[in-house]
Amino acid sequence: MSPLVPSLARRTALGAAVALTLAAAAPGGAAARAATVAPEPVRWAALGDSYTSGVFVGDPVPALGSADRDGCDRTTGAYPALVAAGLAAAPPGGRKVVLTDVSCGAATLADIATDRQTPISPVEPPEGGWPDVAPQAERAGLDAGIDVVTIGIGGNSLSFGKLFTSCLLAGVGQPDDATPCRDSYETGGTSLDPEPIGDKYARVAREYARMLRDVRRKAPHAEVVTVGYPTIFPADPTGCDRRDTTELAADVEGLGRISATHGDIAWLHGVAARLDAIIRALTEWNGGTYVDTAASSTGHDVCRPPAVKWVEGVCGEAAPYWPDRVAVGTFRLTCSAGHRATVVHPNAAGHADTAARVEAAIRAALT
């Protein structure tokens, strides 16, 4: 290169030096502003049901005895809290992430954006029951400034609680390979839950699509990340012990021990997979990101040994504040031998797995 022609690098360096000198010499100049103005924080809203809130994993949030408790059963061990800790340790793009978690146990799709919800926490309920809470989109303050919305919802709208209870009741006196619950739902529902399974899928798909539209309208610039359900029921249930309440058997006051058949457990696996497929399809159709937790949790279903399972059974391991008996509709489930009424929910390992995948999805969305 000719010494008479300054290189681009030299010209750039000279210009930068002059600019920095002038900026530094001017009070309140660009250098001063650059040194004091931090990037805008990322606003993240976590919405969802009990598979998001945590229920019995970790310490209650708000804390036990707090006047701010709302009956939603959010906990420090839930995946939103774990993801928030990971993002705080290594902020994406150097931007602090501010989490607003309004997930709530027993929430339905309508409770995300349109309906008020009456929480049902069995922990420290006030006299007269929990007061209603506003729709989650309202409590989270969804607006044009929200950067990320994560949503884990759908099971309660499918009425999985009634569906599972129906299968427990239908299994009484039935051989392992029978499918009384599946047969009822595929022809017209049960006495406890009269909606056929095909109608459930179609209705939930409509409600999920409506929920996504509502969230998009309220937070038009947000990256929307939906979270599917983990593998709860094994595809091959022959290893499930129909007498074990830490799996899929239940002691019900007035009825004794009841359990779903192996045939119906396999069917329930398919129902959960179909729900995940609906969530994935609608999420991707609407330009969002779907987080698959079923694949990673295969082999960690409710019928695995305690050290392997990522979903507790009807009864299972939980913190001492969680009760050993709960009402499920008109039935009352009881647990013994030091177990708590975990009612088929993820444990700490399950939330840790979901957290790893949700954190990766949020980081990808922000870049």
Side-chain angles (χ1 to χ4, degrees):
M1 179 181 294
S2 169
L4 300 178
V5 182
S7 69
L8 175 61
R10 288 170 55 197
R11 293 199 306 271
T12 301
L14 177 62
V18 170
L20 286 173
T21 300
L22 293 175
R33 290 196 299 272
T36 58
V37 177
E40 286 291 321
V42 174
R43 292 176 60 197
W44 164 30
L47 318 178
D49 58 23
S50 55
Y51 273 60
T52 297
S53 68
V55 193
F56 54 79
V57 178
D59 298 323
V61 177
L64 295 176
S66 169
D68 295 328
R69 285 184 56 75
D70 57 6
C72 285
D73 288 326
R74 292 179 296 277
T75 63
T76 58
Y79 74 77
L82 301 181
V83 173
L87 295 174
R95 298 175 66 192
K96 176 183 178 181
V97 177
V98 178
L99 166 64
T100 301
D101 181 3
V102 294
S103 57
C104 194
T108 66
L109 286 162
D111 297 328
I112 293 295
T114 60
D115 289 4
R116 297 185 66 84
Q117 178 187 352
T118 302
I120 61 171
S121 174
V123 180
E124 295 186 342
E127 186 176 352
W130 296 102
D132 291 352
V133 294
Q136 293 187 23
E138 180 180 333
R139 284 186 284 143
L142 294 195
D143 58 23
I146 292 287
D147 297 288
V148 178
V149 178
T150 57
I151 311 170
I153 198 83
N156 293 316
S157 291
L158 192 72
S159 63
F160 229 111
K162 287 184 179 179
L163 196 152
F164 177 55
T165 303
S166 293
C167 289
L168 290 176
L169 294 169
V172 175
Q174 295 288 331
D176 287 347
D177 60 355
T179 55
C181 189
R182 183 199 70 182
D183 297 343
S184 293
Y185 273 106
E186 291 188 348
T187 57
T190 68
S191 58
L192 179 65
D193 184 22
E195 184 181 29
I197 191 64
D199 291 353
K200 286 181 180 292
Y201 293 143
R203 176 181 53 76
V204 167
R206 292 192 301 271
E207 292 176 0
Y208 204 95
R210 185 181 309 119
M211 179 274 296
L212 285 178
R213 289 195 299 271
D214 289 340
V215 169
R216 287 284 190 193
R217 187 176 66 254
K218 293 174 183 296
H221 306 305
E223 298 288 345
V224 175
V225 178
T226 67
V227 184
Y229 289 89
T231 297
I232 303 168
F233 309 99
D236 177 4
T238 54
C240 295
D241 183 349
R242 294 184 61 189
R243 296 293 300 170
D244 190 347
T245 60
T246 67
E247 296 183 10
L248 296 171
D251 286 331
V252 179
E253 290 183 359
L255 293 179
R257 186 158 298 183
I258 59 177
S259 66
T261 66
H262 288 166
D264 279 336
I265 293 170
W267 177 72
L268 288 169
H269 172 87
V271 171
R274 179 68 177 272
L275 176 60
D276 276 344
I278 291 170
I279 296 171
R280 178 196 289 270
L282 290 169
T283 299
E284 295 176 349
W285 177 263
N286 284 274
T289 298
Y290 174 76
V291 175
D292 181 356
T293 64
S296 60
S297 57
T298 297
H300 299 280
D301 56 76
V302 71
C303 290
R304 303 290 171 164
V308 178
K309 66 173 63 182
W310 289 356
V311 179
E312 297 295 315
V314 173
C315 300
E317 300 299 321
Y321 64 81
W322 197 253
D324 59 6
R325 59 191 61 208
V326 294
V328 178
T330 59
F331 300 98
R332 191 163 184 83
L333 303 179
T334 64
C335 297
S336 58
H339 293 123
R340 304 287 169 171
T342 45
V343 199
V344 195
H345 279 79
N347 56 26
H351 276 278
D353 178 72
T354 299
R357 296 172 201 293
V358 171
E359 181 177 343
I362 291 176
R363 289 186 182 278
L366 292 176
T367 57

